[in-house]
Amino acid sequence: MRTDGLFLAGIGACVPPTVSTREAVEQGLYDRESWAADGWLGAAVAGDVAAPDLAVRAARQALEGAGVLPEEFRLVLHAGTVHQGPDGWPAAHYVQRHTVGGSALAMEVRQACNGLLAAVELAATYLAGSAGAALVTGADNFGTPLVDRWRYSAGAGTNRGSVLGDAGTALVLSRRDGFAEVLAVGSVSMPDGEQLYRDEHPLFPPACTVGRTMALGARFARFAAADPDAFARVKRTLQEERTALARRTLAEAGVLPEQITRAVHLFSGGEPYVRSVLEPIGVDPARGVLDYGRRVGHLGVNDHVAALTHLIETRALAPGDHVLLVNNGGAFAATCVVLRLRHLPDRPHG
């Protein structure tokens, strides 16, 4: 979907200090073999700071330089992959209350790691024909008893191991002005992929209510062993659909793959994984952000905005540059966004 007249007016990222993987190995938290094989250097750890508070901090950064008045906001969307607070509690309204206030529609988006970018497409559609703005935030704190940030992906297979980092991120989308133009955004669903994440677990009662840990790698391994053909189909569908979506979104933006200055992907997997994502699109994997991701860990819904903030902070982008954000939430959803930098904003304090 081409998104004429939609801009990024503000950006923010709250990425806590990292704990080195070496330290995690020495403490017995992380397997030495995984450390040697997967190449992760650290994971951002927020301690007892709640995920929505990370989002609020990031949102305040984004709002500070956005030049958008509170009354201009028509929508607030908040995304996360794991629990944000008490069951039945509206995290999106907490973020709204502590940032832009007002009475605009506020909603939570749950689509695993794809939630924040999916929210960008929802906001783009919601703002069509409007002169208003939207606040999109994401946050995850994986330091809970049911998540092992250092071993959650154990068993997932070669070059897909990763560690989980905590973060909050935010974007201000505006129909009026901004430092970057959103040229196009697109999404696709692959519903057959849900079975890979469901595994043999019952749907009721929910896993968190009975103290079951989130061991995704073990789920994948069991599914692959039980039905290798289905596992291969799910992986093939993800690869094909994500590639087709990225090419289609680039075409809608009027941008060639070779015009992409930087490509932002999930912080999940090593160099072979990044090649498998970017090369079929026609983008040089060297334009990815693996070096940054390896320092902070897979940040749940926050990888892409944290990386974009990092590229801005380090002045690795210049006016006129094109950025491709390509994402997937598990094997069941994918979103792509194409941006063109108009100018560099003031350095956000990430």
Side-chain angles (χ1 to χ4, degrees), residues 19-21 24 29-31 34-35 38-44 142 148-153 160-166 267-269 293-300 303:
V19 173
S20 74
T21 49
L29 301 172
Y30 189 32
D31 299 323
S34 298
W35 178 47
D38 298 333
W40 297 97
L41 301 177
F142 294 104
D148 184 341
R149 71 171 74 247
W150 305 106
R151 296 189 175 99
Y152 87 102
S153 66
R160 286 310 313 273
S162 63
V163 298
L164 294 171
D166 308 328
F267 304 158
S268 175
R294 279 177 163 164
R295 303 205 309 265
V296 297
H298 176 24
L299 304 175
D303 289 354

Side-chain angles (χ1 to χ4, degrees), residues 24-320:
V25 169
E26 292 172 350
Q27 294 178 3
L29 301 172
Y30 189 32
D31 299 323
R32 186 172 297 275
E33 296 76 13
S34 298
W35 178 47
D38 298 333
W40 297 97
L41 301 177
V45 177
D48 60 0
V49 180
D53 285 326
L54 296 173
V56 168
R57 295 178 187 182
R60 289 174 176 170
Q61 295 171 20
L63 291 164
E64 184 176 353
V68 178
L69 299 175
E71 57 266 28
E72 294 183 68
F73 284 90
R74 303 288 183 264
L75 182 67
V76 176
L77 296 177
H78 176 70
T81 60
V82 292
H83 276 72
Q84 299 290 297
D87 288 335
W89 171 73
H93 292 83
Y94 178 88
V95 173
Q96 181 181 29
R97 180 185 175 205
H98 290 281
T99 54
V100 298
S103 57
L105 175 64
M107 298 180 66
E108 192 169 351
V109 179
R110 301 300 295 271
Q111 205 182 54
C113 307
N114 199 52
L116 195 151
L117 287 196
V120 170
E121 178 164 20
L122 294 175
T125 303
Y126 194 87
L127 293 177
S130 167
L135 174 64
V136 176
T137 65
D140 278 306
N141 182 334
F142 294 104
T144 67
L146 299 184
V147 179
D148 184 341
R149 71 171 74 247
W150 305 106
R151 296 189 175 99
Y152 87 102
S153 66
T158 305
N159 295 311
R160 286 310 313 273
S162 63
V163 298
L164 294 171
D166 308 328
T169 56
L171 296 172
V172 175
L173 298 171
S174 172
R175 282 288 178 187
R176 185 159 50 82
D177 197 9
F179 69 88
E181 186 176 3
V182 182
L183 299 178
V185 57
S187 296
V188 64
S189 288
M190 299 155 281
D192 286 351
E194 64 83 19
Q195 60 185 327
L196 176 61
Y197 282 72
R198 173 166 39 90
D199 194 20
E200 83 283 3
H201 294 322
L203 300 182
F204 187 85
C208 64
T209 66
V210 295
R212 188 181 297 122
T213 59
M214 187 186 75
L216 294 181
R219 291 191 215 170
F220 301 162
R222 284 192 296 268
F223 183 82
D227 195 337
D229 291 340
F231 183 63
R233 284 196 301 272
V234 167
K235 292 200 301 179
R236 183 171 62 251
T237 298
L238 170 60
Q239 176 75 52
E240 293 173 350
E241 292 288 349
R242 184 180 58 211
T243 300
L245 172 66
R247 290 175 175 172
R248 181 167 64 250
T249 308
L250 284 167
E252 291 168 344
V255 176
L256 298 173
E258 55 266 31
Q259 293 178 286
I260 294 298
T261 307
R262 299 302 296 263
V264 183
H265 45 78
L266 281 175
F267 304 158
S268 175
E271 293 177 0
Y273 168 73
V274 176
R275 287 198 300 270
S276 74
V277 173
L278 298 183
E279 283 185 346
I281 302 169
V283 175
D284 184 354
R287 299 179 186 178
V289 290
L290 182 60
D291 287 347
Y292 173 67
R294 279 177 163 164
R295 303 205 309 265
V296 297
H298 176 24
L299 304 175
V301 298
N302 301 288
D303 289 354
H304 296 74
V305 177
L308 183 59
T309 304
H310 171 73
L311 293 174
I312 291 170
E313 285 181 333
T314 57
R315 290 326 197 224
L317 294 171

